[in-house]
Amino acid sequence: MDILLLVLGFFCMILGILGSFLPVVPGPPISWLGLLLLVLTRVIPDDWWLIVITGIVALVVVALDYWIPAAGTRKFGGSRAGMIGTTVGLLISIIFPVLGLAGIVIWPFVGAVVGELINKTSHKQAMKAAFGSFIGFLTGTFLKFVVTVIFLGIFLMRAWNYRADFFPFLNG
């Protein structure tokens, strides 16, 4: 059972990192679930402070992920249409990876411009608002990515420290 929890926890870690880029998948909470699964094994000593603190961090990051792009868009004079355009652009980059990894950066910006233009904003104001929305999106994504990578580091460090207990046949 411990090996199953370890594998499921590691799967949650990888999915959480991917979720830091995918708008549909909540990356930090899924990575946190991976930490929880690791602590639920009989091998790892209970560390509920770790679970509580990382859980709070995951929730704060999720809240900031909604707030940061909105603040960036407002700061640069954007509208809700620009934020929606950013999300649509990201989805397009994932579904149709025309520009590869660069598309994850380019398409959200294009989506924000289109969203602002649909909102009947002037071209100059649309570019300014799209830039704000884009900066907010990048900031939120970077924050989620950093947190999920730190969670992965904690997971790997804890699993490595107790590897002999997970895999006793390696001791021989």
Side-chain angles (χ1 to χ4, degrees):
M1 185 66 173
D2 287 338
I3 300 296
L4 177 64
L5 289 173
L6 178 70
V7 170
L8 287 174
F10 185 72
F11 176 75
C12 287
M13 289 289 144
I14 300 304
L15 187 60
I17 289 174
L18 292 174
S20 65
F21 297 101
L22 304 172
V24 182
V25 181
I30 291 176
S31 287
W32 177 81
L33 179 62
L35 285 175
L36 178 64
L37 290 172
L38 183 67
V39 169
L40 290 176
T41 64
R42 286 179 281 132
V43 172
I44 303 291
D46 292 343
D47 189 353
W48 296 110
W49 281 109
L50 173 74
I51 295 303
V52 169
I53 291 169
T54 54
I56 290 169
V57 168
L59 292 174
V60 166
V61 168
V62 167
L64 285 174
D65 187 45
Y66 286 104
W67 181 78
I68 290 172
T73 301
R74 272 193 307 276
K75 176 120 175 114
F76 286 85
S79 67
R80 182 168 167 76
M83 290 188 300
I84 292 170
T86 302
T87 303
V88 169
L90 179 64
L91 291 173
I92 288 171
S93 73
I94 293 166
I95 296 169
F96 306 107
V98 175
L99 301 174
L101 287 177
I104 291 176
V105 174
I106 294 168
W107 286 116
F109 180 78
V110 170
V113 170
V114 170
E116 290 297 335
L117 289 174
I118 289 173
N119 196 40
K120 297 186 173 53
T121 308
S122 71
H123 289 289
K124 184 177 179 181
Q125 182 59 32
M127 290 299 283
K128 183 179 174 186
F131 181 73
S133 181
F134 177 67
I135 292 297
F137 163 75
L138 283 182
T139 304
T141 300
F142 179 74
L143 181 63
K144 290 186 297 185
F145 178 71
V146 167
V147 167
T148 56
V149 167
I150 290 171
F151 285 5
L152 175 64
I154 293 169
F155 181 94
L156 292 175
M157 189 174 63
R158 300 291 301 249
W160 181 259
N161 289 341
Y162 293 94
R163 68 187 177 282
D165 296 324
F166 277 115
F167 307 103
F169 56 87
L170 295 177
N171 293 335

